[in-house]
Amino acid sequence: MLMEHFLNSTMVLSLFDIEGTTAVRQIGNHHADPCNSIDTYTQILLSTIDQIYHSPVVQSQDFDSTAELANLHNTRGLIPYVPGTSFQTQFGHLFGYGATYYSYLFDRAIASRVWQNVFSENPLNRETGEKYKREVLRFGGGKDPWKMVGTLLSAPELEDGDAEAMREVGKWKIEDEVGLPGRH
């Protein structure tokens, strides 16, 4: 998710400007995505269904995953449920994703904050890249991610990864909207 920010940076895109034209530097990869808000809303619905499917309600003899999905779409969705379908049986993220699906939105908020606070001013800055390598990449998953993010963002309140840290990230919301022009 963090790399999406780099791919929308005119400074980074200019590195791929073989002819040396300024069009890439001026325009970048900005395009208005008319479905951006719908996509985010869909992710919220999927997060909700994921939480329902991983709650104690599934232990009931009467539990029906399709009925739960239909109820969610009909009460909270933008588009009503289509009878006779069972989308959830084909959505691999609900049963094959390394983390529960709602973490995707949470991770987008963290990536957005890292981009805004660490890279956005100059994504090609060598010192910043070295700091990212030193504080995050070099551990290759061998260090608590909360400690890495807390150190990278100079935010010690995140380092414990407790409820307070999650509440803090939740306040950030999703500030990326990388598909919208003028954001980077």
Side-chain angles (χ1 to χ4, degrees):
M1 286 169 247
L2 178 60
M3 294 304 125
E4 292 174 11
H5 293 280
F6 283 92
L7 292 173
N8 280 284
S9 166
T10 55
M11 197 178 296
V12 172
L13 288 172
S14 71
L15 297 173
F16 301 95
D17 187 10
I18 297 171
E19 284 100 31
T21 65
T22 59
V24 170
R25 290 179 187 167
Q26 292 170 354
I27 299 168
N29 193 26
H30 299 294
H31 62 280
D33 180 354
C35 297
N36 192 32
S37 295
I38 293 172
D39 290 343
T40 300
Y41 190 78
T42 300
Q43 290 167 357
I44 292 168
L45 282 181
L46 292 173
S47 299
T48 304
I49 200 68
D50 178 70
Q51 290 181 355
I52 292 168
Y53 289 172
H54 290 92
S55 74
V57 72
V58 301
Q59 296 173 0
S60 166
Q61 293 286 47
D62 299 346
F63 179 76
D64 180 339
S65 65
T66 303
E68 291 292 336
L69 180 67
N71 182 52
L72 181 64
H73 273 280
N74 291 335
T75 58
R76 302 276 192 265
L78 297 174
I79 301 169
Y81 174 74
V82 177
T85 63
S86 53
F87 154 81
Q88 77 280 16
T89 64
Q90 299 299 313
F91 186 59
H93 277 54
L94 287 173
F95 56 84
Y97 199 48
T100 49
Y101 191 76
Y102 65 90
S103 68
Y104 178 77
L105 296 171
F106 191 77
D107 292 345
R108 272 183 61 193
I110 293 172
S112 174
R113 182 57 60 104
V114 168
W115 173 259
Q116 292 299 323
N117 291 11
V118 179
F119 293 106
S120 67
E121 284 186 32
N122 184 357
L124 302 178
N125 181 288
R126 177 65 176 228
E127 288 178 30
T128 304
E130 289 295 327
K131 178 181 178 183
Y132 185 65
K133 181 173 81 173
R134 185 176 59 252
E135 302 297 339
V136 177
L137 297 178
R138 79 176 179 141
F139 297 105
K143 185 177 178 181
D144 184 330
W146 283 104
K147 292 192 184 318
M148 292 187 290
V149 170
T151 301
L152 184 66
L153 293 174
S154 300
E157 67 275 12
L158 299 178
E159 291 184 7
D160 289 336
D162 56 9
E164 288 302 316
M166 293 184 78
R167 195 172 349 274
E168 178 62 26
V169 172
K171 291 177 189 174
W172 299 346
K173 302 180 182 163
I174 297 174
E175 301 167 344
D176 62 0
E177 306 302 348
V178 294
L180 299 177
R183 298 295 279 190
H184 299 289

